Amino acid sequence: GVLAYLEMLETQAHQEAVEQEKREQQKEKLAMLKARVRKLRLQRDKLREKVDLQEKQQPGKEGVVPDPAHPIAPRDVVEWRIRNLQALLQLFYLTGISGKPTRRGVCFSLSTAYEGTYLDSYHLELCTNPQVQILRHSIPVFIPLEQISKKYLQTDIRRFLSLLSDHLNAYAGRRHQAEQLEEHFSDQIEGALQRNSLYNLLIFNYNIPRNAQTFPFQARLLYGDPCCSLPTEVTVSCTPDAPASLVETAASHSEMFRCVALHKAFQS
Amino acid sequence: MEKNICQVYEAEIQALEEEIKVLTEKYEEIQQEYTSFSDEEILKSIKLFQREILGENKGYKSPSNLIFQLENLETDLLFLMKFTGFQFTSHSKKTLERTGNRTVQKNRLSGKCHSLSFQLEFQLTKMQENVSSVITDLKIMMESEEGSDVSKFVSRAEECRSLLKFFRSISSYAEWHEHRRNTFLHFK
């Protein structure tokens, strides 16, 4: 009856109010977005002008000629110097040994690379009082850190870091070669490479033509020098019933693995 | 219908923010590369800047973050130069390519390790995701006699683009050289 009708009118009115509010919110949002777009466009245009001006100036070897009408603000010089210093500090990372003095001593970063590719970096936090001590480090457990520390940490920190860097770089190099081999030549290798954590013993079965059914060659590479990324001992053997030609090939491979990086050997 | 307009605006906002970011980086990089200030200019600016800050804060002794950052960086750099023996006398870098995650930069660097000077030019490709850098194209210029140890490790490093190995080799060689020179002078 009447009550039901009134209820219906009320709900209708309520719904209309809700819709009206939604429309207003939408209008507001649109207006905000429009304003933001305008502001960003302005910012972008100003920047474009600045960059175009820079390009027109084409500064010569002497650099930007100071314009007496627009002297560079001290703050800009300070900010320039900050960026300049940050870039120089980043360069030390490329040299292999980088560090930063801390409250208690120094925190060193040792970076590793194989040829032109930079790999993992490792850290050591040292405190210098009363003696030089290692507080924390991220050196893997199979690197003889304690042995090297005992010998050089107290007497010659540079030598200590240099030797540690050699070990780490050789390990990283061996690991990189094995990983590259597995990534690019997996179809020539039977299963996965067998190796130890230090990556100085590798054993795998392989074949030369790709996608072959059998893997007649077995290679065993021993890297006797922990600071070297080439093996000291290589044995390539064939199955006992292999023809003489294969045995000959195995011998030449053996030679090659001793002189050429593993993944490069497979490339040729 | 309105939802579409919203989306269009939002898309444009994103595009503009990205463009602004790229333009700002480009501007700062060129500014960085082509400007150069002498040590005196830098010191003068630091003093002027500090006075500006004091003026702004009307005597409240709040240290400027920028000056603090600057001093920390100077200390860090001084420490590294003293410890490693490497001094970089000039450095410039230019972005050749920037796409998505990849940035290729050309770097020119001159410096010395103890008393051995060198000049390098190399291209550095950085991938944002694996935080790895690859050197493509390395040129090393160093004074050395043909056939000497130095020329040997220089040509080997250039061949394999092993920048890190070059730095490590030059560091050992320079230290050994220094040590030998000091011993020699001691006995003179």
Side-chain angles (χ1 to χ4, degrees):
Chain A
V2 172
L3 219 58
Y5 185 67
L6 281 177
E7 263 185 34
M8 187 199 74
L9 284 178
E10 202 180 322
T11 2
Q12 240 180 26
H14 178 76
Q15 272 180 346
E16 272 178 26
V18 166
E19 304 263 312
Q20 175 78 335
E21 198 176 325
K22 265 207 225 161
R23 278 197 293 268
E24 308 234 315
Q25 277 183 348
Q26 192 77 326
K27 258 213 266 185
E28 241 182 74
K29 183 172 173 198
L30 223 69
M32 259 189 4
L33 285 177
K34 204 167 165 190
R36 179 135 176 86
V37 167
R38 207 177 308 153
K39 179 171 166 221
L40 286 177
R41 276 198 196 139
L42 215 71
Q43 198 180 357
R44 190 268 319 265
D45 291 341
K46 260 202 222 160
L47 269 175
R48 271 204 188 144
E49 257 181 53
K50 261 170 118 176
V51 172
D52 283 341
L53 190 63
Q54 253 186 355
E55 284 177 352
K56 278 202 198 87
Q57 278 180 340
Q58 273 307 356
K61 273 220 173 117
E62 319 83 52
V64 171
V65 179
D67 179 4
H70 296 106
I72 304 187
R75 188 202 177 93
D76 287 342
V77 177
V78 171
E79 283 181 348
W80 178 90
R81 179 64 173 158
I82 288 178
R83 284 196 291 265
N84 177 246
L85 290 170
Q86 283 169 333
L88 286 173
L89 283 167
Q90 273 182 353
L91 284 176
F92 274 96
Y93 174 81
L94 293 176
T95 68
I97 297 185
S98 165
K100 191 180 155 73
T102 61
R103 203 166 26 99
R104 294 188 278 190
V106 189
C107 192
F108 285 107
S109 284
L110 297 173
S111 32
T112 59
Y114 181 76
E115 295 194 341
T117 313
Y118 281 83
L119 305 164
D120 290 337
S121 54
Y122 301 91
H123 312 281
L124 281 145
E125 190 176 342
L126 301 179
C127 87
T128 44
N129 278 332
Q131 293 180 312
V132 185
Q133 278 178 321
I134 302 179
L135 292 176
R136 283 186 295 192
H137 68 86
S138 64
I139 313 279
V141 70
F142 40 79
I143 302 280
L145 179 61
E146 197 170 319
Q147 212 180 346
I148 306 176
S149 317
K150 266 208 184 103
K151 234 175 156 185
Y152 298 112
L153 188 59
Q154 302 302 325
T155 51
D156 191 344
I157 288 193
R158 279 189 205 87
R159 184 106 178 257
F160 164 75
L161 288 172
S162 183
L163 191 51
L164 195 53
S165 170
D166 289 343
H167 277 262
L168 287 168
N169 268 285
Y171 156 69
R174 294 192 296 267
R175 193 178 78 180
H176 182 77
Q177 288 175 60
E179 287 174 350
Q180 291 291 299
L181 184 64
E182 282 186 314
E183 192 178 315
H184 298 289
F185 301 99
S186 53
D187 47 358
Q188 285 181 251
I189 309 215
E190 184 175 27
L193 293 181
Q194 281 180 58
R195 52 158 189 92
N196 61 351
S197 323
L198 190 47
Y199 278 87
N200 59 356
L201 179 59
L202 291 177
I203 298 179
F204 55 93
N205 296 342
Y206 69 99
N207 196 342
I208 347 167
R210 308 187 83 135
N211 295 317
Q213 299 297 73
T214 60
F215 303 88
F217 298 110
Q218 189 190 67
R220 179 179 185 277
L221 283 75
L222 180 71
Y223 299 77
D225 181 358
C227 292
C228 192
S229 55
L230 280 177
T232 46
E233 229 181 85
V234 178
T235 342
V236 181
S237 51
C238 295
T239 47
D241 55 345
S245 59
L246 275 186
V247 177
E248 253 180 60
T249 321
S252 73
H253 283 187
S254 186
E255 262 317 297
M256 189 163 60
F257 286 146
R258 209 175 317 210
C259 322
V260 176
L262 194 52
H263 58 307
K264 291 192 187 168
F266 267 75
Q267 257 171 1
S268 59
Chain B
M1 164 63 178
E2 272 173 1
K3 259 221 177 115
N4 277 346
I5 304 186
C6 260
Q7 280 175 346
V8 167
Y9 277 152
E10 280 170 349
E12 190 173 352
I13 289 179
Q14 217 183 9
L16 282 169
E17 284 178 337
E18 185 60 39
E19 198 180 344
I20 288 177
K21 183 168 150 212
V22 169
L23 282 171
T24 316
E25 278 176 3
K26 193 171 174 190
Y27 176 75
E28 281 183 355
E29 198 179 277
I30 299 188
Q31 200 71 354
Q32 197 68 18
E33 183 180 342
Y34 288 113
T35 357
S36 146
F37 301 104
S38 66
D39 289 340
E40 305 93 54
E41 283 173 304
I42 295 175
L43 279 171
K44 198 170 87 173
S45 299
I46 294 176
K47 287 209 180 86
L48 282 172
F49 181 60
Q50 277 176 315
R51 227 177 291 163
E52 260 178 39
I53 306 259
L54 277 174
E56 270 171 31
N57 294 336
K58 297 193 172 62
Y60 295 125
K61 281 217 202 122
S62 62
S64 157
N65 276 341
L66 279 184
I67 300 284
F68 187 65
Q69 194 183 13
L70 182 64
E71 287 176 350
N72 273 348
L73 288 170
E74 298 266 14
T75 319
D76 289 352
L77 188 64
L78 213 66
F79 165 77
L80 269 182
M81 292 197 320
K82 224 174 133 193
F83 184 85
T84 62
F86 278 109
Q87 271 188 331
F88 297 124
T89 48
S90 87
H91 171 234
S92 73
K93 61 180 175 176
K94 185 168 172 198
T95 306
L96 296 176
E97 198 189 302
R98 183 181 282 146
T99 54
N101 299 334
R102 216 173 92 110
T103 328
V104 181
Q105 279 179 338
K106 181 164 171 192
N107 284 265
R108 266 202 205 99
L109 179 65
S110 22
K112 52 186 181 159
C113 185
H114 295 290
S115 54
L116 293 176
S117 339
F118 55 83
Q119 273 179 312
L120 305 172
E121 259 180 43
F122 57 92
Q123 271 192 10
L124 185 62
T125 308
K126 283 195 241 200
M127 304 283 283
Q128 234 166 4
E129 265 158 21
N130 9 357
V131 196
S132 79
S133 324
V134 182
I135 307 275
T136 44
D137 193 53
L138 172 64
K139 284 196 198 62
I140 304 175
M141 286 148 277
M142 254 188 93
E143 265 182 35
S144 65
E145 297 157 5
E146 268 219 36
S148 68
D149 291 332
V150 172
S151 74
K152 274 193 218 142
F153 70 66
V154 164
S155 53
R156 223 179 310 156
E158 268 186 348
E159 232 179 83
C160 305
R161 288 161 281 116
S162 330
L163 184 59
L164 189 142
K165 213 170 213 152
F166 166 74
F167 280 122
R168 296 277 89 242
S169 309
I170 198 184
S171 177
S172 321
Y173 186 82
E175 267 182 43
W176 170 84
H177 194 255
E178 219 26 44
H179 182 77
R180 212 174 77 140
R181 204 176 65 148
N182 290 340
T183 321
F184 194 63
L185 288 172
H186 178 81
F187 283 114
K188 252 187 138 172

